[in-house]
Amino acid sequence: MAIDLRALEHFVNVAESSGFAAAARKMRTSQPNLSRSIAQLEASMGAKLFERTTRGTAITEEGRRLLPHAISIINEMARAEALFETPPDEEIERIAIGVSPSLLYQGLPAALGALTQQPDKRNIVISTGTLEELLAQVRKHAVHAAVCIVPDYMSGRRSDHADVTFEELADEEMIPVARGGHPVFARAPTMADLSGHDWVVPHQMSVSYRFESAFFRRNLTVPPQRLNCSSMHLLRTAMLDWSLLGIVPRFLVERELAEGTLRVLDMPELHFPYSLSMITLKSAIPTEGVAAVLQSLRTHMQRALG
């Protein structure tokens, strides 16, 4: 099956413009030319992509299925073509960094802001993921480094992680919290009391495991984790608006704790030590540009969370 890239561009523009006339004006071509291109694409795909009715043009179910793939193909081709458009003396170094979602608003913006003011030409790519996902990306050379909230026991497992370096930047702690006026504070709660509540827990394997183990080891019912997510906004919303109890990094809720909108549950069994760590591959030799980016991250992350 041979598919013309230009036909895919025509298809995406018709879909986004909701009609052939608007798409033809946008692409500066004629409607007959656009219609022929779409007809050839439909023949190649073996599927009808649009229905023309008295009310206009409607994309079909087959068209809806194709649309995200067509957009992805067009974007990837544009990126591939751009690889060789920059003159050699103006090449921009691409530096990929993975971060825990909870760090997007703490330290990272200051570090990136400082880097953009430097004259060096660098393209910094930030991706997010769970600790497990980012560790895998480091090992696959998909990112130069990952800055994550790491359980205290992880860096000590030399046999499991002999190929990577965990550089501790700051101490951190996962803590149990609830909305300030939550009924759980009506009396001093016990672990048995807390097992009867619904919880929101970060989408990270080590956090869920330690949370469940704290109840299981005491022969208590493991409470339901009604929500696991990487979004810190959702974690806050779940606790403040939905009245779920939560396990969260302390630095994330310092303002709410100071204001009293959230309170820490006095339950040492649910306080889990972590650290803010930078993970790099031991065998990787950083370029001067990568080293500069990592140093900026160290400085600003330690300043924000240390």
Side-chain angles (χ1 to χ4, degrees), residues 65-190:
R65 289 165 55 194
L66 175 62
L67 185 58
H69 299 286
I71 293 172
S72 177
I73 290 169
I74 293 168
N75 289 340
E76 288 302 320
M77 285 300 298
R79 292 190 186 99
E81 291 170 353
L83 287 175
F84 307 102
E85 290 179 356
T86 306
D89 58 343
E90 295 184 10
E91 286 185 358
I92 297 176
E93 184 178 15
R94 180 183 183 277
I95 301 172
I97 304 294
V99 299
S100 296
S102 59
L103 301 174
L104 290 175
Y105 304 101
Q106 297 281 347
L108 184 65
L112 296 179
L115 289 166
T116 60
Q117 303 307 307
Q118 297 178 7
D120 310 76
K121 297 182 182 298
R122 302 190 187 102
N123 169 226
I124 302 173
V125 180
I126 301 296
S127 60
T128 61
T130 65
L131 168 61
E132 294 77 22
E133 291 167 345
L134 294 177
L135 189 55
Q137 287 185 33
V138 169
R139 286 182 165 131
K140 291 189 295 185
H141 300 271
V143 296
H144 293 92
V147 184
C148 308
I149 304 295
V150 176
D152 59 327
Y153 59 79
M154 194 169 202
S155 59
R157 292 184 174 176
R158 299 183 182 276
S159 59
D160 293 341
H161 306 292
D163 57 332
V164 296
T165 297
F166 291 88
E167 179 186 348
E168 185 173 321
L169 305 180
D171 291 329
E172 191 43 62
E173 183 183 30
M174 292 285 179
I175 58 173
V177 298
R179 179 173 51 82
H182 197 287
V184 74
F185 293 114
R187 64 186 181 88
T190 65

